[in-house]
Amino acid sequence: MWLHVAKPFHRFSQRQCVLLSKAVCPHRLHLSTTQFTDAFYDGLYPGHIHTTPIQKALLALGSGVAALQNPYRHDMVAVLGETTGHLALIKLRDRMRNDPEGYSVLTERPRIRLSTLDLSKMASLPDGSFGREYFRFLEDNHVTPDSRAEVKFVDNEELAYVMQRYREVHDLLHTLLGMPTNMLGEVAVKWFEAAQTGLPMCALGAVLGPFRLNASRLQLLFTSLGPWALQNGQRSRCILSIFYERRWEQSLEDLRQELNIEPPPVILSATKKKSN
């Protein structure tokens, strides 16, 4: 059955095809999904790989198993999100279209990358400003916006951007929610994202993430952080409809109020682990 997955990868070099032929186990799937460059695509957008529904199902199965084995496998989490999120992406796109600021984001297509950020300026902003706190988050947690994978398996150019935008605002959401990138912080963010976006990948992470927490952190999640994250995810404004690049100088407190997001009930310390 894995031969069905191999078909969309026919543009690989001979060496890459050999690697793909070895992808008979789900945990080897990453060998075929991290080798593409923007030079190989079918026209929808750079890097796009067309897949049939059956191929998407097999990719979702393989990436899901790999992500369960290692939640920090960003490439597998990315494939899972792209192959299962079509209906949720349509709803998110429509929410953005119906919001004036969100419509501007869809029209102008900003990207959050090191090449588009003025980190020196952000570092000079006052404490408490959104840009300064985002810069602090990047430093404290040792993460970079350039770690976000490019979308490949979404068969619609506009929906592909919505998925890309979701990935690139993930760390901004950590900043808004005041959550570090340790496992408890990631699970709390996934609970918020599941309620906010409806993406199956987020729901899966929200359900399975708690199994990786110890007893004390599990209690903290279920009694405090979890209910807070779900409630705020359900009631807040669409997080993809914000032109964050124009909000760096705004205070974090004011932005939270505008988005209807309450401050976290518990302050968690940062760790050196990278976010999903």
Side-chain angles (χ1 to χ4, degrees):
M1 294 178 65
W2 286 103
L3 292 177
H4 293 288
V5 181
K7 290 182 179 179
F9 306 122
H10 64 279
R11 298 182 182 89
F12 269 59
S13 65
Q14 183 176 0
R15 177 175 178 273
Q16 291 166 323
C17 288
V18 171
L19 291 175
L20 179 59
S21 68
K22 296 179 181 179
V24 295
C25 297
H27 71 275
R28 290 182 177 175
L29 189 60
H30 71 284
L31 293 175
S32 60
T33 59
T34 58
Q35 302 293 326
F36 284 97
T37 65
D38 287 351
F40 300 97
Y41 67 99
D42 63 5
L44 275 182
Y45 54 85
H48 174 251
I49 304 168
H50 177 73
T51 49
T52 67
I54 293 178
Q55 290 166 344
K56 279 186 171 60
L58 293 173
L59 285 168
L61 177 62
S63 60
V65 171
L68 286 175
Q69 293 175 341
N70 182 1
Y72 288 102
R73 281 291 306 276
H74 301 168
D75 53 346
M76 292 296 94
V77 174
V79 173
L80 180 62
E82 293 175 32
T83 54
T84 61
H86 182 71
L87 295 179
L89 289 174
I90 291 176
K91 293 180 180 179
L92 288 170
R93 187 268 315 276
D94 291 345
R95 291 179 68 183
M96 295 176 72
R97 283 180 174 177
N98 293 326
D99 183 290
E101 190 173 2
Y103 184 79
S104 295
V105 173
L106 277 178
T107 302
E108 299 185 33
R109 305 287 178 88
R111 296 291 303 273
I112 300 175
R113 315 285 292 177
L114 286 177
S115 60
T116 65
L117 297 177
D118 188 343
L119 295 182
S120 298
K121 180 179 179 180
M122 295 171 75
S124 68
L125 292 174
D127 289 342
S129 65
F130 179 56
R132 181 65 182 89
E133 297 309 314
Y134 173 57
F135 179 80
R136 194 190 315 278
F137 167 84
L138 296 178
E139 281 199 320
D140 289 349
N141 293 277
H142 303 271
V143 297
T144 170
D146 285 355
S147 64
R148 302 301 166 190
E150 298 289 334
V151 175
K152 296 181 177 72
F153 297 107
V154 177
D155 296 331
N156 178 283
E157 187 268 342
E158 190 173 41
L159 295 183
Y161 175 75
V162 174
M163 174 60 80
Q164 192 70 49
R165 186 65 173 177
Y166 156 75
R167 288 179 184 167
E168 294 182 2
V169 305
H170 177 81
D171 288 340
L172 300 179
L173 184 55
H174 271 273
T175 304
L176 285 169
L177 298 179
M179 291 292 107
T181 60
N182 57 28
M183 184 55 68
L184 179 56
E186 289 292 354
V187 173
V189 171
K190 278 291 177 282
W191 281 37
F192 179 99
E193 290 179 337
Q196 164 82 194
T197 69
L199 287 167
M201 169 196 65
C202 297
L204 183 64
V207 171
L208 299 180
F211 287 101
R212 306 182 74 88
L213 299 175
N214 60 33
S216 62
R217 293 194 170 193
L218 197 60
Q219 182 180 11
L220 183 59
L221 175 69
F222 285 131
T223 61
S224 180
L225 287 177
W228 162 80
L230 288 176
Q231 182 182 45
N232 282 272
Q234 291 171 346
R235 73 182 188 184
S236 68
R237 182 179 168 188
C238 179
I239 57 172
L240 301 186
S241 293
I242 307 302
F243 215 128
Y244 294 101
E245 293 84 348
R246 299 173 180 172
R247 305 297 194 101
W248 300 132
E249 298 182 7
Q250 184 175 357
S251 76
L252 177 59
E253 181 180 358
D254 287 348
L255 184 55
R256 281 174 173 167
Q257 291 179 356
E258 180 180 338
L259 298 180
N260 204 19
I261 295 177
E262 297 177 343
V266 179
I267 303 300
L268 303 180
S269 59
T271 68
K272 293 184 178 182
K273 280 190 176 293
K274 292 185 179 182
S275 63
N276 286 349

